[in-house]
Amino acid sequence: MDMQTSLLDRLFETGLLIDTGIEGLYGRSGSFEEVITRFEALIDEVGGADGAEAIRFPPGMNRAYFEGSGYMKSFPQLAGTVHSFCGNELDHMHLLQCMEAGDDWTKGQEATDIVLTPAACYPLYPTVAKRGALPTEGGLFDLQSYCFRHEPSNDPARMQLFRMREYVRMGTPEQVMAFRNDWMERGKALMARVELPVEIDVANDPFFGRAGRMMKNNQRDQNLKFELLIPITSTAKPTACMSFNYHQDHFGKSWDISTADGEVAHTACVGFGLERIALALFQHHGLDVGEWPARVRATLGY
Amino acid sequence: MDMQTSLLDRLFETGLLIDTGIEGLYGRSGSFEEVITRFEALIDEVGGADGAEAIRFPPGMNRAYFEGSGYMKSFPQLAGTVHSFCGNELDHMHLLQCMEAGDDWTKGQEATDIVLTPAACYPLYPTVAKRGALPTEGGLFDLQSYCFRHEPSNDPARMQLFRMREYVRMGTPEQVMAFRNDWMERGKALMARVELPVEIDVANDPFFGRAGRMMKNNQRDQNLKFELLIPITSTAKPTACMSFNYHQDHFGKSWDISTADGEVAHTACVGFGLERIALALFQHHGLDVGEWPARVRATLGY
């Protein structure tokens, strides 16, 4: 049995995660949720004084915004569009007959205006753009939402629906680079306080297809993405629990976000994979929170 | 300007809700979220001692479970199925050409195994069924999740993505009826503590089509659903902020849930519409939490 299955089985046995019959789609126990709540409070403790504007978007976003983001160019395989039944009573009868016969009843579903949020910050850029130019000090935002990625896997650290906490910085290249560098240090210090072993490495997003290979190389060559890695289900391939992303002017150009000086705004974000961090804590300190090291418990306010 | 638009506009102006360009899909400010967090703590205070098992499901559920629930029979118009791109690189090129031309690119999306959760308790029944017969004292569960209903509206109290907190009781008819009656009293007392005017009335779910009319009448005649109503955007048609539902043996039969005595389990649930309750508080006490009545602020721990 591989390490992934082994950890997932133990999480199911203890009830920390609950099998729903779909890979990457799990219920969470109260104890699992409490770890996330407490870790988020720790993030607040570290980042709170920066005065970020808190916004909480729901787990779906405007499809037009999604289309404008370019996500379907880069990661078409991961996106989830939301579809609904829009027919009349006769159509409904046909649909029920189709279900009854065990046929595919989803063909008649029509796309709504909503797409599942692929990363917590995607709804933010068009929202900020509508406000006009950024103030001189730039913008700083605090986000969290459930995100969807269509990548079924038996690795509990690769869920299809998971929560991402993010801080997003917008402004001049200097402002956003300083933010990203700062959070790389903060991230390491934060994980040290909960006694998790980390390394930071340059990384790339999972761009689709052969054309995507060039995007991956570009992203790496330009040091646009770093990840904070923690071994969870594999020591050889540790899991990205935080990422530190410099988007250059990609979102600034896409959404026409400008700095106080009228330049195209640069943006950067730091993301926390909340379920992954909880899993890292359970994997390293044990599945019983009561048995975690005293210093870790104290840091998390247990 | 009607009351709905007026409240929504004021919520946008103050930034409590954030326009995303889609009716019923809004960002929430930190202040809005804090009201929900504090109201949930109040729910915990009232219901916590009952020892419910807390489970948090993500905002999507197993499509097979959804199909088994009968939701598409009753509310096909409200459901949201999640679809993804499953093609190769050539398909991807076509998709991008289609987007570029402004054509409908969503036709090629294929249904995944996931459907958006229509009510917080839907993923629970098959989960509990797998555990075997209920213990003698029955089952009690504490749930919360984002739910989806495809019903775009300019009434801020009718969102497409919103959070529902629920307690669910399973057991004998006597056990679940006692639970429901108890929560109807608790609900009234709870809303009195935050100084919201309520009435409780018999109600029905929005069953689809002409055949649905009979379902609505049956539900009302049998007193299966009650709602706690608070005026938000209309005094003539107050908004359901809580509901108290007796499902008889519907879910017990659908999922084969049995009591300790081997009878088909009956179930009931009490649901809190968290965004609706927050909106009721803002509508009745003002959009500035700092100006709310002292007793309300104290109850919510401000």
Side-chain angles (χ1 to χ4, degrees):
Chain A
M1 189 184 295
D2 61 34
M3 265 179 83
Q4 294 175 5
T5 313
S6 159
L7 177 60
L8 187 56
D9 282 346
R10 289 189 296 130
L11 291 162
F12 285 163
E13 276 160 30
T14 52
L16 284 165
L17 290 185
I18 294 157
D19 191 2
T20 72
I22 302 287
E23 284 185 339
L25 185 78
Y26 310 115
R28 285 84 164 141
S29 74
S31 168
F32 190 96
E33 287 296 293
E34 198 180 342
V35 170
I36 288 187
T37 304
R38 287 171 185 271
F39 192 85
E40 282 210 78
L42 191 60
I43 297 173
D44 291 336
E45 195 187 308
V46 175
D50 301 342
E53 177 182 342
I55 304 182
R56 295 290 177 266
F57 291 102
M61 66 181 288
N62 181 337
R63 180 150 63 87
Y65 290 172
F66 173 81
E67 289 167 356
S69 74
Y71 195 86
M72 287 305 286
K73 284 195 187 103
S74 302
F75 318 108
Q77 77 283 18
L78 299 178
T81 46
V82 178
H83 297 231
S84 279
F85 169 79
C86 305
N88 58 25
E89 293 191 58
L90 189 62
D91 300 321
H92 186 223
M93 270 179 51
H94 290 319
L95 184 151
L96 295 183
Q97 283 162 1
C98 194
M99 286 185 95
E100 189 72 31
D103 293 335
D104 182 3
W105 59 274
T106 62
K107 295 282 182 215
Q109 296 284 99
E110 294 177 29
T112 68
D113 289 333
I114 296 176
V115 175
L116 294 185
T117 308
C121 60
Y122 270 68
L124 179 69
Y125 304 105
T127 297
V128 173
K130 280 196 282 184
R131 296 181 181 178
L134 296 169
T136 313
E137 69 277 16
L140 179 64
F141 303 90
D142 166 356
L143 306 172
Q144 195 253 52
S145 84
Y146 256 102
C147 299
F148 176 79
R149 299 206 182 154
H150 186 238
E151 43 179 355
S153 164
N154 69 348
D155 179 354
R158 188 167 294 285
M159 296 190 186
Q160 295 197 63
L161 276 163
F162 59 93
R163 274 159 294 180
M164 191 187 293
R165 175 79 182 265
E166 280 194 54
Y167 286 105
V168 180
R169 185 81 170 100
M170 306 184 186
T172 64
E174 295 71 32
Q175 285 170 333
V176 309
M177 285 299 281
F179 160 87
R180 187 174 76 149
N181 293 337
D182 194 22
W183 267 107
M184 280 166 66
E185 292 310 311
R186 284 174 168 188
K188 280 189 280 186
L190 207 165
M191 296 304 177
R193 288 178 62 194
V194 290
E195 301 186 359
L196 291 174
V198 310
E199 52 178 300
I200 288 195
D201 203 358
V202 66
N204 61 265
D205 287 309
F207 292 99
F208 182 74
R210 264 167 305 176
R213 231 179 284 163
M214 203 178 64
M215 311 278 279
K216 290 179 191 174
N217 290 338
N218 279 350
Q219 199 180 23
R220 284 185 172 264
D221 290 348
Q222 295 182 75
N223 284 341
L224 297 182
K225 184 180 194 76
F226 289 92
E227 289 176 339
L228 180 148
L229 304 159
I230 305 177
I232 301 180
T233 49
S234 160
T235 41
K237 290 188 177 177
T239 299
C241 292
M242 291 182 67
S243 70
F244 312 88
N245 307 285
Y246 176 36
H247 316 124
Q248 298 171 303
D249 60 5
H250 171 73
F251 290 114
K253 265 188 181 155
S254 298
W255 298 112
D256 202 9
I257 307 171
S258 55
T259 65
D261 292 342
E263 302 289 320
V264 176
H266 283 230
T267 63
C269 68
V270 49
F272 297 82
L274 296 174
E275 277 79 2
R276 287 181 170 183
I277 292 168
L279 291 171
L281 288 163
F282 285 117
Q283 170 66 17
H284 285 271
H285 302 317
L287 300 191
D288 180 354
V289 176
E291 302 292 317
W292 286 5
R295 208 172 69 107
V296 175
R297 287 179 54 82
T299 300
L300 292 169
Y302 276 103
Chain B
M1 189 184 293
D2 61 34
M3 264 178 83
Q4 293 175 7
T5 313
S6 160
L7 177 61
L8 187 56
D9 283 346
R10 289 188 297 130
L11 290 162
F12 285 163
E13 276 160 29
T14 52
L16 284 165
L17 290 186
I18 294 157
D19 190 2
T20 71
I22 302 288
E23 284 186 338
L25 185 78
Y26 310 115
R28 286 85 164 140
S29 73
S31 169
F32 190 96
E33 286 297 292
E34 198 180 343
V35 170
I36 288 186
T37 303
R38 287 171 183 271
F39 192 85
E40 282 211 80
L42 191 59
I43 298 172
D44 291 336
E45 195 187 309
V46 174
D50 301 343
E53 177 183 341
I55 303 181
R56 295 290 177 266
F57 290 102
M61 66 181 287
N62 182 338
R63 181 150 63 87
Y65 290 171
F66 173 81
E67 289 167 356
S69 74
Y71 195 86
M72 287 305 286
K73 283 197 187 102
S74 303
F75 318 108
Q77 77 283 17
L78 298 178
T81 45
V82 179
H83 297 231
S84 278
F85 169 78
C86 304
N88 60 26
E89 292 190 59
L90 189 61
D91 300 320
H92 185 223
M93 271 178 51
H94 290 317
L95 183 151
L96 294 183
Q97 283 161 2
C98 193
M99 287 184 94
E100 190 72 32
D103 293 335
D104 181 2
W105 59 273
T106 63
K107 296 282 183 212
Q109 297 283 98
E110 294 177 29
T112 68
D113 290 333
I114 296 176
V115 176
L116 294 185
T117 308
C121 61
Y122 270 68
L124 179 69
Y125 304 106
T127 298
V128 172
K130 280 196 281 184
R131 296 180 181 178
L134 295 169
T136 313
E137 69 276 16
L140 179 63
F141 303 90
D142 165 356
L143 307 171
Q144 196 253 52
S145 84
Y146 256 103
C147 299
F148 176 79
R149 299 206 182 152
H150 186 239
E151 44 179 354
S153 164
N154 69 348
D155 178 354
R158 187 167 295 284
M159 295 189 185
Q160 295 198 64
L161 276 163
F162 59 94
R163 274 159 294 180
M164 192 186 294
R165 175 79 182 266
E166 280 195 57
Y167 287 106
V168 180
R169 185 82 170 100
M170 305 184 185
T172 65
E174 296 71 32
Q175 285 170 334
V176 310
M177 285 299 280
F179 160 87
R180 188 174 74 151
N181 292 337
D182 193 23
W183 268 107
M184 280 167 67
E185 292 309 313
R186 285 175 168 187
K188 281 189 279 187
L190 208 166
M191 296 304 177
R193 289 178 62 193
V194 290
E195 302 187 358
L196 290 174
V198 311
E199 52 178 301
I200 289 197
D201 202 357
V202 67
N204 62 263
D205 287 307
F207 292 99
F208 182 75
R210 264 167 304 176
R213 232 179 281 164
M214 203 178 65
M215 311 278 280
K216 290 179 190 173
N217 291 337
N218 280 349
Q219 200 179 23
R220 283 185 172 266
D221 291 346
Q222 295 182 75
N223 285 339
L224 298 182
K225 186 181 193 75
F226 289 92
E227 289 176 340
L228 181 148
L229 304 159
I230 305 176
I232 300 179
T233 48
S234 161
T235 42
K237 290 189 177 176
T239 299
C241 292
M242 290 183 68
S243 70
F244 312 88
N245 307 286
Y246 176 34
H247 315 124
Q248 299 172 299
D249 59 5
H250 172 74
F251 290 115
K253 263 187 183 157
S254 298
W255 297 113
D256 202 9
I257 307 171
S258 56
T259 65
D261 291 342
E263 302 288 322
V264 177
H266 283 230
T267 63
C269 69
V270 50
F272 297 82
L274 296 174
E275 277 79 3
R276 287 181 170 183
I277 292 169
L279 291 171
L281 288 163
F282 284 116
Q283 170 66 15
H284 286 270
H285 302 317
L287 300 190
D288 180 354
V289 176
E291 301 292 317
W292 286 5
R295 207 171 69 107
V296 175
R297 287 180 53 82
T299 300
L300 292 169
Y302 276 102

